[in-house]
Amino acid sequence: MKVLKFGGTSVGSIESILEVKKIVEAQQEPVIVVVSALGGITDQLYHVSNLAASGDPTYIDAMQAIVKRHIDVVNGVVPAEKRTQVTTTITDLLEELTNIMKGIFLLQDLTQKITDSIVSYGERASSSIVGQVIDNAVTYDSRKFIKTVPQFTKHIVDFHTTNALIKQQFANEQKVVVCGGFISSDTRTNVVTNLGRGGSDYTAAILAAALKASVLEIWTDVDGFMTADPRIISNTYVIDKLSFIEAMELCNFGAKVIYPPTIYPAYHKNIPIRIKNTFNPSAPGTYISNDRTTDTVKAIKGISSINDTCLITVQGLGMVGVIGVNYRIFKALAKNGISVFLVSQAASENNTSFAVKNSDADLAVKALDEEFAREIELGEMNHAVAERDLATVAIVGENMKRIPGIAGKLFGTLGRNGINVIACAQGASETNISFVTDLKSLRKALNVIHDSFFLSDYQVLNVFLTGTGTVGGSLLDQIRQQQPKLMAKKGLKLNVVGIANAEKALFTREGIDLETYKEEIEAKGKPTSPQLLRDEILGMNIFNSVFVDCTASPEVATIYKDLLSNNVSVVAANKIAASSEYENYAELKSIASKRGIKFLFETNVGAGLPIMNTINNLINSGDRILKMEAVLSGTLNYIFNTLSAENTLSKTIRMAKEAGYSEPDPRIDLSGKDVIRKLIILSREAGYRVEQSDVECNLFIPENYFKGSLEDFWNTIGEMDAQFEQHRQRLETEHKRLRFVATMEEGKCSVGLQEVDQRHPLYDLEGSNNILMITTERYNDYPMIIKGYGAGAGVTAAGVFADIISIANIR
């Protein structure tokens, strides 16, 4: 025998009831069908009764709507030959209910006893309808065999009486039996009671256990237990198998697939439970049994959460070493009917924290303060403290047992994403690790755990990018091209959730289409500013996030600290921050290090060349950098390599700008400011404390050319052409070349123009290439040389891209 339970959505419409009929009639063995009220009817009954109790005459219209809905369903699903009889039954039943509502309206009084009776009509009506739709079915009234006894404000199943009545009622029954779930009656008085919200699942489990069913099938509107809440995480999937223990843990911590008490009767009688989707019956669903599943890849099965959490803390030095304190705490709570779903205690015994629903917080505090009134008066203990509006998250899986590092990985992952753990608990069974965090971090916590524990088919990195010029535009194009390959080969989804240009910014948690981002920003973007970028990024509070700065803006660089402090990694093509005052540079590096995130700026020097990584590897391996000599300006190198009789100095400067090698204002390159910034960054990464003001600067263009407007510069720079042509001709005869060289030796820095001959490593440097020679204690006689493209949007974007990918690999 099977027991099949169909939820409210399964009997919520004509189409769904016909689907139930098809499912039931296809069974190959005797079945008991447990049905809920028509979808939403129970809530409507609560609403109508409250209207009547408040003296609101609109309860009549609301009641008539309920009657009409039931009659419409009867007319739509019941065969014509049975329709009159069923209509009469339903009409009489709901007329009885209407009279009760009239009495409530007249008395304007609504007791719990009457409410229990009112909401029973939903299941009684739906079971009457479904019983007539299914061929060869009989309808039973669950109130006759599901019996309860009162306990605090709830009705608890009287299993001894219930099991005996079920066996008696169903003895030798060969037909399909349809009965309403949720409803019951008191053992002693026969007054109507109910099993609480979700109680229809419980009814089905009670029947399955009493009759030793082969399987209990819960038919609902989802395909099964998901790895997490799909309303919060987009890439969840159905868990195919769970143990009873895993299912219980997920249910107790918020998974609403089935009512938690449902599992206990089935577990004790070893009756497997299968979760099925009425609207997708071919889906395999989730199978719950005593069999422990093994998965060598995934340590956890799923994540569940409770967003209605209040943490109560009882604290005092008078608790230390005193036997019975916790007994008194939980006795006081139990006497007041308060349920606790998480407990955390310090090893020092001076405080105990536990989680309850927010609605129970005031009563819990009152009960505890009364229980420990004497100790509080003596100063041995403090008043109980309630911290409201929190969330509890649980990771569940029997495969966690005896696997070292699960808790470490969990809390490390949360820490890197700036999620504060207020309290935590793990039982010796190692099936569940639970923690409490603030409610605003819940979405972020669930996403990052789902991502980090391989419950997702891929890892997600959420990218915010500002600056869509040559470098930023090229980067977005590279990301667009690489997205499918990274998903397929690396299991990495680069989700660009924010893009800002000079005027507008667009943000969306779901991700921006990189094919049409320009049009989207223009149509939907809001006026941008560094403050807007910061506020939007922090407001989204999204997991695994990285801010990419492809501007040259000092203002944008000022928001790095706030972003890093809130666990947003930063990748900067912008050189402003790393070359700013040393204290600011050091603080940014320190924040990133302490928070376990990244502050990367590989492309600040040498575009896509692996310069920063190489320097860091040398330092981290114990080497010491003594000296660096470098050509760091692709713009200046291009200019000096392009100078010829035909290409004057002013012409080559224009050519560098048109080729995209120089800054929009080439004076930044010609003044040596860009090289100074790069040298400062290199020196700092090499371990030296230097400021821009410490650099000796030998300019090759007089200071007056850097004053005035950019237009003035273009109008006058040609005056330098003749002088540079003479210089060039002399060098040509001497087989020498000009190079603008940055030098650092033992912390002393300088930049200036140098003449190099054919034997010098800086001589053969084509186009806009960069070169860096590093002399260290290990690389002393023969310095290490890094050489290659040092400018250009494509290679710079590629270097930024590499930094982004390195952040994705932190898990």
Side-chain angles (χ1 to χ4, degrees), residues 178-197:
V178 178
C179 57
F182 172 72
I183 57 177
S184 51
S185 63
D186 187 273
T187 299
R188 296 165 299 174
T189 65
N190 277 333
V191 168
V192 177
T193 59
N194 64 64
L195 303 182
R197 287 189 178 272

Side-chain angles (χ1 to χ4, degrees), residues 192-487:
V192 177
T193 59
N194 64 64
L195 303 182
R197 287 189 178 272
S200 292
D201 291 348
Y202 196 20
T203 301
I206 294 166
L207 287 166
L211 298 172
K212 298 180 181 178
S214 59
V215 67
L216 166 60
E217 292 185 354
I218 306 292
W219 290 80
T220 180
D221 57 354
V222 295
D223 285 344
F225 274 87
M226 310 295 285
T227 48
D229 188 340
R231 296 168 299 180
I232 297 176
I233 302 173
S234 60
N235 58 337
T236 57
Y237 56 87
V238 175
I239 306 171
D240 58 349
K241 292 182 180 179
L242 287 170
S243 69
F244 283 117
I245 292 174
E246 290 169 335
M248 269 191 282
E249 294 285 6
L250 288 171
C251 287
N252 284 328
F253 279 87
K256 295 180 173 60
V257 181
I258 55 177
Y259 183 50
T262 303
I263 299 169
Y264 300 111
Y267 167 72
H268 289 303
K269 293 297 179 69
N270 196 22
I271 297 169
I273 302 172
R274 188 179 293 280
I275 311 300
K276 297 282 286 181
N277 190 342
T278 310
F279 309 101
N280 185 21
S282 61
T286 299
Y287 187 76
I288 305 168
S289 69
N290 262 326
D291 298 333
R292 181 183 173 187
T293 59
T294 57
D295 188 330
T296 57
V297 177
K298 298 178 178 66
I300 70 174
K301 283 292 187 66
I303 315 163
S304 58
S305 61
I306 300 172
N307 58 12
D308 179 15
T309 296
C310 176
L311 196 67
I312 309 289
T313 299
V314 178
Q315 190 269 339
L317 293 178
M319 295 171 61
V320 178
V322 177
I323 296 172
V325 172
N326 281 341
Y327 165 74
R328 291 174 64 190
I329 290 173
F330 296 109
K331 180 188 72 172
L333 296 172
K335 282 172 61 179
N336 287 274
I338 297 170
S339 176
V340 172
F341 51 83
L342 178 143
V343 179
S344 177
Q345 181 178 24
S348 63
E349 300 182 41
N350 78 332
N351 72 76
T352 297
S353 297
F354 53 88
V356 300
K357 292 181 178 180
N358 283 295
S359 59
D360 288 334
D362 290 338
L363 180 58
V365 169
K366 181 175 181 291
L368 291 167
D369 283 352
E370 289 175 356
E371 174 66 30
F372 293 101
R374 181 175 177 277
E375 287 84 355
I376 293 171
E377 184 180 355
L378 294 173
E380 295 176 355
M381 290 179 63
N382 301 326
H383 288 280
V385 176
E387 189 173 357
R388 293 172 171 81
D389 298 323
L390 304 175
T392 305
V393 178
I395 65 170
V396 174
E398 289 199 276
N399 287 341
M400 292 194 296
K401 289 182 179 179
R402 307 294 183 260
I403 296 179
I406 296 294
K409 181 175 181 179
L410 170 65
F411 296 120
T413 298
L414 295 171
R416 279 197 303 274
N417 281 273
I419 298 164
N420 183 42
V421 174
I422 301 170
C424 62
Q426 179 181 12
S429 67
E430 299 183 77
T431 305
N432 177 325
I433 302 176
S434 309
F435 65 91
V436 176
T437 186
D438 55 277
L439 188 57
K440 69 179 182 180
S441 297
L442 176 59
R443 174 188 287 271
K444 189 176 183 182
L446 293 176
N447 273 280
V448 75
I449 296 169
H450 197 268
D451 185 77
S452 299
F453 278 88
F454 306 102
L455 291 177
S456 301
D457 292 330
Y458 50 83
Q459 181 189 7
V460 178
L461 192 68
N462 292 296
V463 178
F464 301 88
L465 181 141
T466 184
T468 59
T470 54
V471 174
S474 181
L475 174 60
L476 288 172
D477 191 52
Q478 290 179 20
I479 292 174
R480 178 184 60 79
Q481 293 179 40
Q482 287 296 113
Q483 277 175 328
K485 296 178 184 176
L486 289 170
M487 279 281 284

Side-chain angles (χ1 to χ4, degrees), residues 761 771-774 783-787:
I771 186 171
L772 172 65
M773 298 189 301
I774 306 174
M784 178 185 291
I785 295 177
I786 302 171
K787 180 179 178 182

Side-chain angles (χ1 to χ4, degrees), residues 14 25-26 104 112 130 147 156 167 205 243 266 299 339 418 470 567 590 637 791 808:
I14 293 170
E25 292 178 357
I104 294 171
Q112 186 61 52
V130 174
K147 295 294 182 176
I156 306 302
K167 291 172 184 176
S243 69
S339 176
T470 54
N567 293 76
S590 175
N637 200 51

Side-chain angles (χ1 to χ4, degrees), residues 712-726:
D712 293 337
F713 170 80
W714 287 120
N715 289 334
T716 58
I717 189 59
E719 298 169 356
M720 297 288 299
D721 289 348
Q723 176 185 337
F724 262 83
E725 176 56 18
Q726 290 179 2

Side-chain angles (χ1 to χ4, degrees), residues 547-660:
F547 175 68
V548 181
D549 181 6
C550 291
T551 73
S553 166
E555 291 77 20
V556 171
T558 62
I559 70 172
Y560 292 0
K561 180 179 176 180
D562 286 343
L563 296 178
L564 291 168
S565 297
N566 285 275
N567 293 76
V568 178
S569 291
V570 173
V571 172
N574 186 345
K575 293 181 275 290
I576 299 294
S579 63
S580 64
E581 292 78 7
Y582 184 85
E583 294 297 337
N584 182 59
Y585 156 85
E587 185 179 21
L588 296 178
K589 297 269 288 187
S590 175
I591 292 170
S593 176
K594 288 178 180 178
R595 292 189 170 270
I597 54 173
K598 302 288 186 180
F599 172 40
L600 302 176
F601 40 88
E602 180 67 74
T603 58
N604 279 192
V605 182
L609 295 177
I611 292 174
M612 300 298 180
N613 279 332
T614 301
I615 289 176
N616 287 326
N617 288 339
L618 289 170
I619 298 296
N620 293 337
S621 67
D623 205 351
R624 180 169 176 265
I625 295 175
L626 306 173
K627 181 179 180 181
M628 292 186 287
E629 294 177 272
V631 173
L632 299 174
S633 172
T635 305
L636 295 180
N637 200 51
Y638 174 85
I639 289 171
F640 294 132
N641 280 335
T642 309
L643 278 174
S644 66
E646 296 77 23
N647 296 324
T648 62
L649 176 66
S650 60
K651 183 178 179 180
T652 57
I653 293 172
R654 286 189 181 277
M655 291 170 66
K657 182 177 183 299
E658 290 166 0

